[in-house]
Amino acid sequence: MDLAYTEAEEEFRGRLREWLAAVLPGLPAKPSPDDWPARRAYDTTWQRMLYDAGYAGLHWPVDAGGQGATPTQHLIFLEETEKAGAPYVGANFVGLLHAGPTIAAEGTAGQRARWLPPVLRGDEIWCQGFSEPDAGSDLAALRTRAVRDGDDYVVTGQKIWTSHAEVADWCELLVRTDPDAPKHRGISWLAMPMDAPGITVRPLRTLAGSTEFAEVFLDEVRVPASCRVGAENDGWRVTMVTLSFERGTAFVGEVVACRRTLDALADEARRTGRWDDLVLRRRLGRLNAGFRALWRLTQANVSESERTGGVPGVGGSVFKLRYSGLRQELYEAAAEVLGGGDAFDLDQEWVLDRLSSLSYTIAAGTSQIQRNIVAERILGLPKGR
């Protein structure tokens, strides 16, 4: 693992800091969490600013519309934008962090030219159609079916927990194209236009009151076969590429945010006198050590990514597993330090973050799934029966 930054990387950090300091004060106020058209406009406006400044798709290959930067430069970008309080990718996180990198790695030249520039410019939003009501954590048990009919697939089924489906233009969709094949085979990865006839989107309200997820019902939706990424029935392998990005790099900026939150909790504990509570101080100290270790693990994963051509390895599952639990521990500590009469006030940002943290041991693969991956693919243990 390379823990040192080169002179060129530090110069890149300096230029980025100067740009952020110049543009962030001019951003408008964040829209209401319930105003999805306004949230899309806010997020895509920021993405266009990144694009115009040369920071969009920073680590994507040049022939995919990116800047060809190293994973380390991308890590610096995530660190500095989070420290500066810049907007997160928001409504376009699936396009920028999941679908886009997958298409860059697995798509044809025509697919890369069609889909990647609009993602980088903020012109098009993607959602993720992976999970299903009857599949649980076993993604390979999906039942949404796609039957080839000439130049199209006819898709019928249901997806759930589809992030940002209400404002998406495209969906990265997993379908079963060979129902007779073993469950990890016979799956294909499609890019589905969300304005196609036969699609019904029903928003789901979360514990925090947000509607960022939705149920999506598919009734004989026609998807061009040219929208299939990878070979027919090879979708499980393509999906593993998607999930390696989702678990390997998508949460990096959030680690920086958690460390900043932890610093704020320590400051608040000192201000209120709670710092004299040795049990609380040990708790915050353990959290600090945990997040510092996660950052080192991030650097290790980035170093591996640079050696393997930019696709994160299974080490991302180690990161995701520990981060999910540590984030929950952080906001349990926040409840202890900041609780009082505001412990369940949804107008308090930290309360929303605490509620959101409960989902992290489920999102992007449950912690049980991550333990299986670590056990079987990293430690070489036999599969459980």
Side-chain angles (χ1 to χ4, degrees):
M1 178 172 64
D2 187 1
L3 300 180
Y5 294 106
T6 67
E7 182 177 348
E9 288 165 348
E10 291 296 356
E11 290 176 356
F12 168 78
R13 187 193 300 274
R15 291 194 303 272
L16 175 60
R17 284 179 175 175
E18 290 179 3
W19 181 77
L20 290 169
V23 301
L24 289 180
L27 288 181
K30 290 184 179 180
S32 166
D34 296 327
D35 189 344
W36 279 104
R39 287 181 64 175
R40 171 178 169 137
Y42 181 87
D43 294 337
T44 55
T45 294
W46 172 246
Q47 183 60 32
R48 183 66 197 217
M49 292 173 66
L50 292 172
Y51 180 84
D52 291 340
Y55 291 117
L58 192 66
H59 63 305
W60 290 17
V62 174
D63 63 357
Q67 304 299 316
T70 66
T72 298
Q73 287 176 308
H74 182 224
L75 181 65
I76 292 171
F77 171 81
L78 294 172
E79 182 181 15
E80 293 300 326
T81 51
E82 183 60 47
K83 284 182 176 179
Y88 185 53
V89 290
N92 203 17
F93 85 91
V94 173
L96 288 166
L97 304 182
H98 305 168
T102 302
I103 294 168
E106 297 290 334
T108 65
Q111 290 171 338
R112 287 150 68 104
R114 166 59 187 88
W115 286 314
L116 298 183
V119 168
L120 293 178
R121 292 193 301 263
D123 294 340
E124 293 180 346
I125 298 294
W126 285 66
C127 62
Q128 186 179 77
F130 282 14
S131 299
E132 296 186 7
D134 295 326
S137 297
D138 186 3
L139 181 58
L142 64 91
R143 298 180 182 178
T144 294
R145 189 169 178 178
V147 178
R148 187 68 180 261
D149 181 24
D151 293 333
D152 296 334
Y153 288 102
V154 180
V155 181
T156 301
Q158 180 186 353
K159 297 293 178 176
I160 198 169
W161 312 125
T162 307
S163 304
H164 304 315
E166 60 272 63
V167 292
D169 303 292
W170 291 88
C171 176
E172 54 171 357
L173 185 73
L174 289 188
V175 295
R176 188 163 295 285
T177 42
D178 185 352
D180 297 323
K183 68 178 186 178
H184 287 87
R185 303 175 186 174
I187 294 173
S188 297
W189 197 107
L190 302 180
M192 180 179 69
M194 290 296 289
D195 60 355
I199 299 175
T200 301
V201 176
R202 296 180 184 172
L204 294 168
R205 191 165 297 277
T206 69
L207 182 66
S210 171
T211 56
E212 64 193 80
F213 300 119
E215 294 178 290
V216 177
F217 298 87
L218 308 169
D219 184 11
E220 296 189 349
V221 180
R222 300 191 75 89
V223 179
S226 59
C227 291
R228 186 190 68 238
V229 175
E232 185 172 283
N233 300 327
D234 192 34
W236 185 256
R237 185 192 61 79
V238 177
T239 301
M240 292 303 100
V241 174
T242 303
L243 295 179
S244 71
F245 286 111
E246 184 176 23
R247 296 163 184 168
T249 56
F251 294 112
V252 169
E254 297 187 35
V255 173
V256 180
C258 286
R259 293 179 70 180
R260 193 171 66 241
T261 297
L262 182 58
D263 288 341
L265 289 179
D267 290 342
E268 179 66 11
R270 293 185 184 98
R271 187 187 69 82
T272 60
R274 295 295 309 282
W275 193 249
D276 295 333
D277 183 338
L278 294 181
V279 174
L280 176 62
R281 282 167 60 181
R282 290 192 190 98
R283 187 176 189 180
L284 297 180
R286 285 194 297 270
L287 285 167
N288 182 53
F291 281 112
R292 288 172 65 89
L294 270 183
W295 189 250
R296 292 306 190 195
L297 180 58
T298 297
Q299 290 177 308
N301 289 340
V302 165
S303 295
E304 179 186 9
S305 181
E306 289 187 333
R307 291 191 298 270
T308 58
V311 177
V314 291
S317 289
V318 179
F319 171 90
K320 200 274 176 182
L321 175 63
R322 187 64 192 106
Y323 171 70
S324 298
L326 204 60
R327 182 182 176 93
Q328 291 180 355
E329 294 172 25
L330 171 66
Y331 284 101
E332 288 173 2
E336 183 176 349
V337 175
L338 303 174
D342 295 327
F344 299 99
D345 183 357
L346 293 182
D347 290 331
Q348 298 290 324
E349 184 174 356
W350 75 268
V351 176
L352 293 175
D353 287 335
R354 185 190 184 196
L355 294 176
S356 173
S357 74
L358 301 177
S359 70
Y360 277 70
T361 47
I362 301 173
T366 66
S367 291
Q368 290 87 344
I369 293 294
Q370 306 307 324
R371 290 188 181 97
N372 285 343
I373 293 173
V374 171
E376 296 170 11
R377 301 186 193 176
I378 297 178
L379 300 180
L381 299 177
K383 291 187 177 182
R385 295 182 179 179

